[in-house]
Amino acid sequence: MYRLISATPSPYARKVRIALIEKGIPFETRTEVPWHADTVTPAYNPLEKLPVLITADGRGIYESRYILEWLEVMHPEPPLLPRDPMAALAARQVEVICDGICDATVLLFFERRREAPSAPWIGRQRRKIDGGLAALAANPAIGQGFGLAEICAGTVLRYLSVRYAEHPWAARHPGLAALSAGLEQRASFAATVPVPQNITEAVV
Ligand SMILES: N[C@@H](CCC(=O)N[C@@H](CS)C(=O)NCC(=O)O)C(=O)O
């Protein structure tokens, strides 16, 4: 049985949880804050980030993008990537945009927790989020069916509501709002709704 080191708000972990559920792969979840004293994340990932998929023989597979590729090889059915190579590249491009929006949102979240947040740094992350969302809204590879592109788009959009609730993305991009609402109806999405975690140890 796989174990997944996960965090309840994490969009990166949610991508993997959704993929595991969609592929019908049983797994146990270990919920962590990866810098708390009781974390086991560094024992499985030298980069000290979650998600980490732990195999039955105790190996740590880490980095959400790589975990999803690994799962596609080890558990190809049902496929989450289109068989057509060009369509697969287009889906991976969507993942790049979505991960970039998540990364900027994480940087923004931590910057706001500092005693003296940097306005230029915050502005830079906001621009990345806005630019990424515009690129996503204009991307024809999303919403063609269900697979990697939709998992990535759905997880980043819902994550914004958790970590950047005041962002008007849904009003600005009604197509993305409709996509997100539809995806959240799926069982795999409903089972993994992101919620903030209690962070008790400072990291910034
Ligand atoms: N690129 C990584 C990002 C993972 C990530 O940033 N995870 C956060 C939790 S949402 C984390 O572990 N942060 C701890 C840190 O960056 O030190 C992935 O896709 O897996």
Side-chain angles (χ1 to χ4, degrees):
M1 167 91 91
Y2 289 112
R3 283 177 293 152
L4 182 73
I5 306 180
S6 177
T8 57
S10 171
Y12 312 102
R14 193 182 187 206
K15 283 195 295 183
V16 175
R17 291 161 74 198
I18 290 171
L20 287 165
I21 294 170
E22 292 285 345
K23 284 179 177 288
I25 303 169
F27 65 103
E28 283 169 4
T29 303
R30 181 186 164 105
T31 299
E32 289 206 343
V33 177
W35 56 89
H36 277 183
D38 62 354
T39 182
V40 300
T41 300
Y44 293 97
N45 178 0
L47 306 176
E48 304 204 10
K49 293 182 184 190
L50 59 79
V52 183
L53 186 69
I54 304 173
T55 60
D57 61 0
R59 272 183 312 135
I61 313 292
Y62 47 85
E63 182 70 33
S64 63
R65 233 183 273 188
Y66 180 73
I67 299 171
L68 293 181
E69 292 209 10
W70 192 91
L71 285 174
E72 211 56 24
V73 171
M74 299 298 181
H75 303 273
E77 296 301 329
L80 292 175
L81 270 175
R83 299 271 189 230
D84 171 57
M86 294 311 287
L89 273 180
R92 288 202 162 101
Q93 171 65 19
V94 171
E95 183 171 37
V96 168
I97 297 169
C98 293
D99 280 359
I101 299 172
C102 289
D103 293 346
T105 307
V106 168
L107 291 173
L108 183 64
F109 173 72
F110 284 113
E111 192 62 27
R112 285 165 146 184
R113 291 176 80 95
R114 291 186 198 279
E115 259 178 42
S118 156
W121 185 256
I122 286 176
R124 180 163 175 73
Q125 307 318 322
R126 285 187 171 147
R127 277 202 311 282
K128 292 187 210 169
I129 294 166
D130 290 348
L133 285 168
L136 213 52
N139 197 306
I142 309 168
Q144 301 297 322
F146 182 80
L148 180 73
E150 289 71 31
I151 293 175
C152 294
T155 51
V156 69
L157 293 171
R158 188 65 183 76
Y159 179 61
L160 284 174
S161 309
V162 175
R163 281 291 189 250
Y164 193 175
E166 74 275 26
H167 194 287
W169 67 268
R172 210 177 272 174
H173 302 293
L176 293 180
L179 176 77
S180 169
L183 287 169
E184 294 297 333
Q185 302 295 315
R186 285 182 83 89
S188 58
F189 277 67
T192 58
V193 174
V195 282
Q197 240 165 265
N198 195 16
I199 299 175
T200 55
E201 295 170 39
V203 77
V204 293

